[in-house]
Amino acid sequence: MRLQHYVYDQFPVWARPTNPILRYLLQRAQRRRQGMARWLFRLIGIGIVVWMVAISYRAYQGNQNFGVSDQGESALFSVLYLPLLLIQFFTFTAALVLTSNMVSQEQQAGTWEAVKITSHGAEMVIRARWAAVFYQLRWLLAFLIIPRVVFVGQMLVDLTDYQGYHLDLYITGITPEVSLEVAILLLAGLMTAALLLPLVLLGLNASIGLLLSTVFKARGTTIVAQTVILVLEVLIVIGSLSGGWDVLDAEPITQLTSNADMTQKLVSLVLLGTTGDQGLRFMNLETYFQAWTDVDYGILTGVLMLGAMLLLALVTNGLLWWSARRASRPLRG
């Protein structure tokens, strides 16, 4: 219990489970679903996940993997890659949908005006609603994060191959030349980005949804805006996946004769790792090491992903501030 309180104390006040506003939002969300409906929804969700894993496993047995190659991926990685991609996008979509009607819901409940007249009331509700999304989607986040932790563990185990000289072999002759110590730090950066990017993208979509809730009053208009944003996100994801996979899966001869310059290839890898699959493909160590040798400055992919992640976090905070400012306007009601 003491450890739990210590962990909660690291959160902002509006993100702690003990915060009355956050507790109210979570309890109201639970009341909307009766106990039986909530369990039925969970069972359906688990069934869909099991079905996706089973389909992916059958594809793996038939040597028809989606999105992975034959670069030493484990059976677990090959089977889980596609289901994790789909669950990620569903989770980000849910974050957008859950927050897009926040203001209108409070108005219908008759609580919005009372919130606005209190000091920083609108800002606290906006931020608490953003934090509530992480609690509401915690099981989906567990589905995303736990396999990534397992993959990180597998990467660390794979580093011990070749009598512990696995990393040394792949930094020989690459551009730029780096020391073993720097290579370890850059690899750690990739692991960190791959673990945290799903959380950052979830927060970004939740903040976009909150901004929509302060811009549009009509439910129909909100649905149209949601659809437009989701279509754009689908196009970004498909483009990022396609470009990154083309670089990773190209034959060595094709890599040498390709018209695409190394800068374009590096950008494709960074986009794959951030807006594509959030670093999932790079969590196969052999694939990531191959990117180091095939693409100049490919070893910097992880640190560039970290930079992109920090930028997205800043954008998220800016959207939350903007949403709170719009929600606090006297004419908004």
Side-chain angles (χ1 to χ4, degrees), residues 120-134:
H120 303 290
E123 179 181 357
M124 289 292 291
V125 172
I126 288 288
R127 292 189 178 274
R129 186 66 190 91
W130 181 82
V133 172
F134 288 85

Side-chain angles (χ1 to χ4, degrees), residues 38-309:
R38 185 164 62 249
W39 279 106
L40 180 61
F41 182 80
R42 289 175 180 174
L43 289 174
I44 291 174
I46 293 172
I48 292 174
V49 171
V50 172
W51 175 76
M52 287 192 299
V53 172
I55 293 296
S56 185
Y57 178 69
R58 292 187 62 181
Y60 171 75
Q61 288 184 315
N63 198 28
Q64 297 178 337
N65 300 323
F66 178 84
V68 296
S69 63
D70 296 322
Q71 294 178 327
E73 288 96 344
S74 66
L76 181 66
F77 185 90
S78 300
V79 169
L80 291 184
Y81 184 79
L82 177 58
L84 286 173
L85 271 183
L86 297 176
I87 294 172
Q88 281 174 186
F89 189 76
F90 175 80
T91 304
F92 302 153
T93 301
L96 177 70
V97 173
L98 285 173
T99 55
S100 296
N101 296 306
M102 191 278 292
V103 173
S104 61
Q105 288 172 352
E106 295 299 327
Q107 288 174 333
Q108 291 173 5
T111 59
W112 188 240
E113 287 303 323
V115 164
K116 288 179 61 176
I117 63 176
T118 59
S119 177
H120 303 290
E123 179 181 357
M124 289 292 291
V125 172
I126 288 288
R127 292 189 178 274
R129 186 66 190 91
W130 181 82
V133 172
F134 288 85
Y135 291 96
Q136 288 178 277
L137 300 178
R138 60 189 180 278
W139 294 112
L140 285 172
L141 284 174
F143 274 122
L144 297 181
I145 301 301
I146 292 175
R148 287 170 178 264
V149 173
V150 173
F151 295 152
V152 166
Q154 185 61 57
M155 293 174 77
L156 295 175
V157 171
D158 291 343
L159 280 174
T160 63
D161 290 346
Y162 304 103
Q163 291 77 46
Y165 289 96
H166 199 175
L167 186 57
D168 301 73
L169 294 173
Y170 276 94
I171 62 175
T172 302
I174 66 172
T175 302
E177 295 182 3
V178 297
S179 65
L180 179 61
E181 292 77 11
V182 172
I184 291 173
L185 290 175
L186 294 175
L187 183 59
L190 178 277
M191 294 177 181
T192 303
L195 287 173
L196 296 181
L197 268 167
L199 300 175
V200 173
L201 269 293
L202 174 69
L204 177 63
N205 261 23
S207 66
I208 292 173
L210 287 169
L211 181 61
L212 291 181
S213 76
T214 67
V215 174
F216 302 110
K217 295 182 180 180
R219 180 174 178 80
T221 308
T222 301
I223 292 175
V224 171
Q226 288 174 347
T227 303
V228 171
I229 291 172
L230 290 176
V231 169
L232 289 174
E233 290 186 350
V234 167
L235 293 176
I236 291 172
V237 170
I238 291 176
S240 299
L241 290 174
S242 177
W245 289 347
D246 285 345
V247 174
L248 291 177
D249 299 334
E251 297 294 333
I253 295 178
T254 305
Q255 289 278 12
L256 293 174
T257 59
S258 174
N259 292 327
D261 61 25
M262 286 299 175
T263 302
Q264 182 179 337
K265 291 179 180 179
L266 180 59
V267 170
S268 296
L269 292 180
V270 175
L271 289 177
L272 170 65
T274 51
T275 56
D277 62 10
Q278 289 75 62
L280 194 58
R281 181 71 187 274
F282 297 137
M283 301 193 81
N284 174 61
L285 194 63
E286 201 69 25
T287 300
Y288 190 48
F289 280 173
Q290 197 61 48
W292 292 9
T293 61
D294 291 344
V295 179
D296 290 348
Y297 297 93
I299 194 172
L300 300 180
T301 303
V303 72
L304 292 174
M305 286 169 54
L306 271 179
M309 183 183 73

Side-chain angles (χ1 to χ4, degrees), residues 3-21:
L3 176 61
Q4 187 181 54
H5 284 300
Y6 173 79
V7 173
Y8 288 161
D9 287 344
Q10 310 311 306
F11 296 167
V13 173
W14 44 266
R16 298 173 187 172
T18 54
N19 182 275
I21 298 176

